Amino acid sequence: MRGRGGGNRHAESRDPGGASTSARRTLRDKVRTERYVPRMVRHGFRATVPLLVLATMLSGSSCAGDPPSLSTPPTQMIPSAGVPRSSGITVTPEQLSISDPCGLLSPPALSGFGRVSIEPGSQFTTCQGAISLADGGTASVSSEFAFRPHEGASLTPVDRNGVTVYDAPGDSNGCSRYIVVSDHATITVTAGLARRPDLLCDIANAAIDGMLPQLVRGGLQPADLPADSLGEQDACRLFDHTEIRRMTGIDARQVHPAFNGQGCEWNTGTERGPSVLVSFRRTTQPKIDERTDRAITIDGRTAIADPWVGGALKLPSCEVQLVHPPLDRPTSVREVEQLSVSVYTEAPEESNCVPAIELTSAALGRLPRG
């Protein structure tokens, strides 16, 4: 099964900037570097899984029995921006948490480069723009709300119209600019995918200049999501460490929330240790396109269980992707909100599907019905 942009979700390579080439690795990294903002999570029902599918998966389960609960909660890992707040802005982290990242990308500010189109990103905290350049090529530009600038970025503070903007050196892969709203909230603008790398930093700067008036006066466009949207939920509030251990056998020592509660990872604090990853995203309807994929239904919701054998960087895993109420985008592309639950343990990949399905069922019972 492949992610939003195509390609193999299980690839382990990274680009020079530290970003992942796989949707799963990208989400896992985001959970470790983005912001936690509490959201309301509603009560509900317990979902069920077809007995034939569940019986098949249980035959290889590594989670027999219910381990005793842990008394010590895991440590919440929320990274810091590592640089001072940008001067000259009045916008607050609270405003950012309820704002639409697409409201910050201004087509008029970018129109000097070509025809601009803007649409929501696959994460509720991202927005994607495409620019049809005058020379026939294309470029991309994105805005993203995150905990901090990209890990390892070399930052230079630059004054742009009275606002401190943190510049990172550009290269042929992209160019990023950062507005630091607080120690745990950052606006990232990145330009990339152009045949003319010399334009990338100019595009990023233009995008920043286009959003500065909103940031200075503190008036941001609200996200305006329905109350039952996954974009209004908090993944870390779906489970506590005792449930994670009971359902998976994993003794979580750390919890890594994503910005605005849009993902959460429970792990043992080691790079290749067992973990549980929950994330929310906007994407196309999941499809079976690998031999190991399984179509399942959980309380009437379409879902796919996707086991994987693991690799040098990741343990064997199973990801369950479950469809939330569909979305209609301006481009008329039929998309869905998706709950993704992945379990990584040192066990046959099929065995990981049992706790992944159980966790997904429990999560569905705690999310609004939609």
Side-chain angles (χ1 to χ4, degrees):
M1 188 159 40
R2 285 166 176 76
R4 178 182 179 86
N8 188 343
R9 291 191 296 108
H10 306 309
E12 298 180 10
S13 59
R14 291 175 175 268
D15 66 29
S20 169
T21 59
S22 80
R24 175 179 291 167
R25 189 68 180 179
T26 298
L27 288 167
R28 189 169 180 172
D29 289 344
K30 280 179 178 294
V31 163
R32 293 183 175 181
T33 58
E34 297 183 342
R35 182 167 188 234
Y36 170 78
V37 176
R39 295 280 187 173
M40 294 298 294
V41 180
R42 300 163 176 80
H43 69 281
F45 53 90
R46 182 169 180 81
T48 58
V49 180
L51 293 179
L52 178 60
V53 173
L54 185 56
T56 300
M57 293 181 173
L58 281 171
S59 64
S61 175
S62 62
C63 301
D66 291 340
S69 299
L70 293 176
S71 58
T72 304
T75 302
Q76 190 175 76
M77 310 297 289
I78 302 179
S80 299
V83 292
R85 169 182 164 89
S86 293
S87 62
I89 62 173
T90 62
V91 65
T92 67
E94 292 73 25
Q95 287 177 296
L96 210 63
S97 72
I98 58 173
S99 298
D100 181 359
C102 286
L104 290 177
L105 285 182
S106 169
L110 297 165
S111 62
F113 299 97
R115 189 174 68 255
V116 182
S117 62
I118 305 292
E119 65 176 17
S122 61
Q123 308 302 308
F124 290 92
T125 51
T126 63
C127 184
Q128 304 292 330
I131 305 174
S132 298
L133 302 174
D135 64 1
T138 60
S140 68
V141 62
S142 65
S143 61
E144 177 182 4
F145 302 155
F147 272 132
R148 66 182 181 188
H150 294 146
E151 188 172 4
S154 176
L155 304 179
T156 301
V158 175
D159 183 278
R160 295 189 72 84
N161 300 316
V163 173
T164 302
V165 177
Y166 290 93
D167 289 5
D171 56 26
S172 59
N173 294 305
C175 184
S176 295
R177 300 289 184 256
Y178 305 94
I179 302 286
V180 177
V181 177
S182 76
D183 195 36
H184 300 298
T186 298
I187 301 169
T188 300
V189 171
T190 300
L193 299 178
R195 292 187 300 187
R196 289 185 53 193
D198 58 296
L199 285 179
L200 295 181
C201 287
D202 291 339
I203 292 172
N205 288 336
I208 285 287
D209 290 342
M211 64 178 66
L212 286 185
Q214 291 187 70
L215 301 179
V216 169
R217 68 173 182 267
L220 302 185
Q221 178 178 313
D224 197 26
L225 294 170
D228 62 357
S229 169
L230 292 179
E232 291 294 320
Q233 315 310 315
D234 183 348
C236 284
R237 288 179 174 246
L238 292 176
F239 308 108
D240 65 23
H241 64 291
T242 61
E243 291 179 294
I244 294 295
R245 186 169 193 253
R246 178 177 61 81
M247 294 185 190
T248 68
I250 297 171
D251 293 339
R253 296 291 185 249
Q254 295 181 351
V255 178
H256 297 259
F259 187 88
N260 224 21
Q262 291 303 289
C264 195
E265 183 183 28
W266 294 261
N267 65 36
T268 58
T270 57
E271 179 61 27
R272 198 177 178 271
S275 64
V276 171
L277 173 64
V278 176
S279 60
F280 306 144
R281 55 181 175 245
R282 294 180 282 213
T283 184
T284 55
Q285 185 86 10
K287 297 178 181 179
I288 292 179
D289 57 10
E290 293 180 2
R291 182 180 56 83
T292 55
D293 290 352
R294 293 171 179 263
I296 59 176
T297 301
I298 302 179
D299 196 69
R301 302 289 181 100
T302 301
I304 289 178
D306 178 16
W308 183 57
V309 296
L313 298 178
K314 293 176 287 187
L315 293 174
S317 67
C318 183
E319 178 184 18
V320 174
Q321 298 179 354
L322 183 138
V323 173
H324 203 257
L327 298 172
D328 287 314
R329 290 267 291 277
T331 55
S332 298
V333 175
R334 191 68 169 176
E335 296 210 339
V336 297
E337 292 187 358
Q338 180 176 281
L339 165 67
S340 171
V341 178
S342 298
V343 174
Y344 298 79
T345 68
E346 193 68 82
E349 65 274 14
E350 192 77 11
S351 300
N352 289 316
C353 289
V354 178
I357 291 173
E358 185 178 3
L359 286 167
T360 304
S361 174
L364 185 59
R366 296 163 188 176
L367 291 168
R369 287 296 302 264

